Amino acid sequence: MKEDFLKLALGLIETSEDHERYRGEECINLIASEGLKSPAVKEMLSLSQDLESRYAEGENDLEGHVKTRHYQGQKYMTQIENYATDLMKDLFGCNWTDVRLVSGTHANLATFKGISLATKNNRMVVSPLSAGAHITHDYSGLAGRVLGLETINHAYDIDELNIDAEKSATIINSTRPGIVTFGGSLFQFPHPIKELAKVAKETGAYVVYDAAHVLGLIAGGEFQDPFGEGVDFISASTHKTFPGPQGGVILANSGDERMNKAIKKVQHAIFPLTTSNTHLGRLPALGLAALELKLYGKDLAKQTVKNAQTAGKCLFESGVKVLGEKNGFTKSHQIAVDVRDHGGGRKIASNLEKANVILNKNLLPYDNQHNRKDPSGLRIGFQDVTRRGFKKGDIEYLCSLILDVVKGKRKPAEVRKDVIKLRQNFKEIRYGFHSVNEAKDHLRKYV
Ligand SMILES: Cc1ncc(COP(=O)(O)O)c(C=O)c1O
């Protein structure tokens, strides 16, 4: 065997170990789209290694349960999928879900495809990209380029950082889409679903809520109540504020003819259209994360939002432009900050990276949509540090370190020492179980 090949393999193993130490132990992680699993959820993943090798192709029923499977050897796998399904249904108060999606992108793919098959209408109203929509919603991404949907933008109110309900109602009425989508990646304020769901349904559209970012907050009763406000489908990732393994989920309520028709088409879009293996090894960990949110999700969600608001206030009062000031900066886990006066999003995100503070540059609603390489803003998420136990004082101290870098008061390398020290004070992960056995002991007290 050539030495070069062996070097590659060794490099891969050692670099992976380096990564685990760097991002897992030495950085403060503020990427708004990344979650933090508890030790129990991580352990559950590592205990599901056989499952991780298996296939479970087939159809599900209108309760989301396994109906038919095409391979043998499924007796426990079927139960596992049904347990994960029922835990998610209970957590979100709905009667149908599909947990076979391997990502939020996959969940959007199957939801949009299924609904457009049901309605035979390929128009979708969504937020513009610069106002927080995800690339999967856009004509330039999955919706347009893969699914061939014609996308029409909601009217957006930059001042409110939100969809303009009145103007969007007119757009929906005049364009008569098959899908009206809410939710997004830059997502500080609840979208006006109450105001628009009825309008959308009256035109024959289905209402989709992309909760990729805020699923964990919704489970904890924060942000908004999509089903209560009139949403037909929730599509989401399971690894952002929902602190599970990387994956996707779709949730809805079956029962009437309209919803059954669309759910059947969405199921068809999942299998056979877009899955073969469904990454089954993540399902026990997904269910365990759902249990953790059932028990601790309310406190976790409340503290996450509080921490984001504390950071918004702290940065704003120190002279940095944080968006949404008049509405308290945010009602979610994230804030958006305009750092154009300090060198722009690219430069500041890169300087903060040198200080081991990891976040991302982001387009702001008033930016040129095409200037993705150097937008004005930063997006900062607080779900990771919250799970590590950060409270008001810790957030304020973290903001002071961020401000040192943003304002160029200290060199990033100098700030990094304080960041690593801060990180070392928060080794424990809260709002969850330390081990699978701890979770079992807890459950056995009751069953
Ligand atoms: C609103 C939204 N939808 C969908 C996705 C895609 O999710 P995933 O990364 O799980 O494919 C993202 C990713 O960040 C997102 O922000």
Side-chain angles (χ1 to χ4, degrees):
M1 205 177 298
K2 281 209 180 123
E3 197 186 329
D4 281 357
F5 183 84
L6 302 174
K7 268 192 194 153
L8 287 176
L10 187 58
L12 173 68
I13 293 166
E14 290 180 347
T15 308
S16 303
E17 290 166 350
D18 289 345
H19 169 85
E20 293 297 319
R21 194 182 57 250
Y22 168 57
R23 291 294 300 275
E25 295 171 23
E26 295 172 354
C27 287
I28 302 272
N29 294 306
L30 301 174
I31 303 257
S33 58
E34 294 176 350
L36 183 65
K37 294 185 282 297
S38 71
V41 168
K42 283 188 197 165
E43 186 189 353
M44 198 72 246
L45 262 182
S46 73
L47 291 174
S48 308
Q49 289 307 300
D50 182 87
L51 200 55
E52 208 265 336
S53 313
R54 302 298 164 202
Y55 276 83
E57 289 181 339
E59 285 74 29
N60 287 2
D61 64 21
L62 282 171
E63 292 177 357
H65 293 142
V66 171
K67 187 162 81 179
T68 52
R69 285 296 181 262
H70 303 314
Y71 292 166
Q72 306 314 123
Q74 304 276 327
K75 66 176 174 179
Y76 295 118
M77 286 153 68
T78 289
Q79 287 183 46
I80 290 166
E81 187 172 323
N82 288 345
Y83 280 132
T85 294
D86 287 344
L87 286 164
M88 291 298 277
K89 283 180 353 190
D90 184 280
L91 183 64
F92 290 100
C94 61
N95 69 13
W96 175 84
T97 186
D98 207 306
V99 294
R100 292 177 293 174
L101 297 310
V102 300
S103 68
T105 297
H106 187 194
N108 280 347
L109 169 60
T111 306
F112 297 158
K113 180 68 187 174
I115 296 175
S116 56
L117 286 172
T119 58
K120 298 189 172 62
N121 177 338
N122 74 346
R123 273 190 305 283
M124 175 163 80
V125 172
V126 286
S127 292
L129 267 192
S130 60
H134 188 249
I135 185 78
T136 49
H137 305 170
D138 199 57
Y139 70 91
S140 63
L142 172 91
R145 295 275 175 86
V146 178
L147 295 174
L149 298 179
E150 179 195 342
T151 61
I152 301 143
N153 283 340
H154 279 294
Y156 193 75
D157 183 337
I158 289 183
D159 224 33
E160 295 293 328
L161 298 181
N162 212 331
I163 291 166
D164 181 322
E166 218 176 295
K167 289 186 183 150
S168 275
T170 308
I171 292 170
I172 293 164
N173 268 322
S174 62
T175 56
R176 306 191 75 77
I179 309 172
V180 176
T181 292
F182 297 95
S185 304
L186 186 68
F187 197 17
Q188 300 99 313
F189 297 103
H191 280 170
I193 298 165
K194 264 190 230 139
E195 294 82 343
L196 291 173
K198 195 158 166 273
V199 178
K201 289 178 192 176
E202 278 168 3
T203 67
Y206 285 85
V207 181
V208 174
Y209 185 88
D210 183 340
H213 267 263
V214 292
L215 191 68
L217 303 181
I218 289 167
E222 287 294 310
F223 200 63
Q224 71 189 120
D225 170 18
F227 285 133
E229 293 168 31
V231 153
D232 293 314
F233 286 91
I234 294 178
S235 149
S237 308
T238 55
H239 51 266
K240 301 184 196 298
T241 54
F242 189 101
Q246 286 189 322
V249 67
I250 307 173
L251 302 140
N253 281 298
S254 62
D256 62 48
E257 206 180 310
R258 171 179 173 272
M259 283 307 296
N260 288 356
K261 178 176 159 195
I263 286 173
K264 283 182 190 166
K265 294 292 186 192
V266 170
Q267 287 175 319
H268 177 69
I270 296 168
F271 181 83
L273 292 193
T274 63
T275 48
S276 182
N277 91 73
T278 50
H279 299 192
L280 288 146
R282 71 196 157 77
L283 295 185
L286 175 73
L288 193 45
L291 167 69
E292 290 181 336
L293 286 191
K294 186 85 177 173
L295 296 172
Y296 312 113
K298 201 173 167 50
D299 291 341
L300 174 60
K302 266 199 177 359
Q303 189 61 46
T304 302
V305 176
K306 248 195 225 171
N307 283 347
Q309 290 169 342
T310 297
K313 185 165 180 279
C314 183
L315 295 173
F316 183 81
E317 286 175 354
S318 305
V320 175
K321 193 172 165 199
V322 184
L323 276 59
E325 187 233 342
K326 70 177 197 177
N327 294 315
F329 305 105
T330 188
K331 286 193 161 41
S332 76
H333 60 301
Q334 48 166 279
I335 56 171
V337 181
D338 186 332
V339 287
R340 218 172 353 176
D341 293 346
H342 305 278
R346 185 167 68 166
K347 178 179 157 206
I348 297 298
S350 157
N351 284 348
L352 284 166
E353 182 185 37
K354 289 179 196 142
N356 281 20
V357 174
I358 309 296
L359 43 67
N360 62 282
K361 62 181 185 292
N362 217 92
L363 277 176
L364 298 179
Y366 43 78
D367 277 347
N368 174 348
Q369 285 219 27
H370 302 293
N371 188 18
R372 287 187 211 163
K373 285 206 175 125
D374 190 14
S376 306
L378 302 175
R379 187 185 63 173
I380 316 181
F382 294 88
Q383 68 285 2
D384 183 308
V385 289
T386 303
R387 240 198 158 193
R388 291 188 191 281
F390 276 52
K391 296 267 165 64
K392 187 167 181 276
D394 315 304
I395 293 287
E396 285 167 351
Y397 176 58
L398 172 61
C399 286
S400 75
L401 297 178
I402 291 174
L403 285 162
D404 282 351
V405 175
V406 171
K407 295 189 167 180
K409 283 193 202 155
R410 287 202 291 157
K411 291 208 166 69
E414 218 179 283
V415 176
R416 186 171 64 221
K417 290 182 201 144
D418 293 336
V419 169
I420 293 174
K421 228 186 273 168
L422 177 63
R423 173 65 190 80
Q424 296 312 312
N425 291 337
F426 290 90
K427 288 192 171 153
E428 200 189 331
I429 294 170
R430 320 282 170 100
Y431 309 95
F433 293 106
H434 296 91
S435 67
V436 172
N437 273 338
E438 190 186 66
K440 278 163 74 178
D441 288 346
H442 176 86
L443 294 167
R444 283 196 179 123
K445 281 190 224 154
Y446 304 96
V447 285

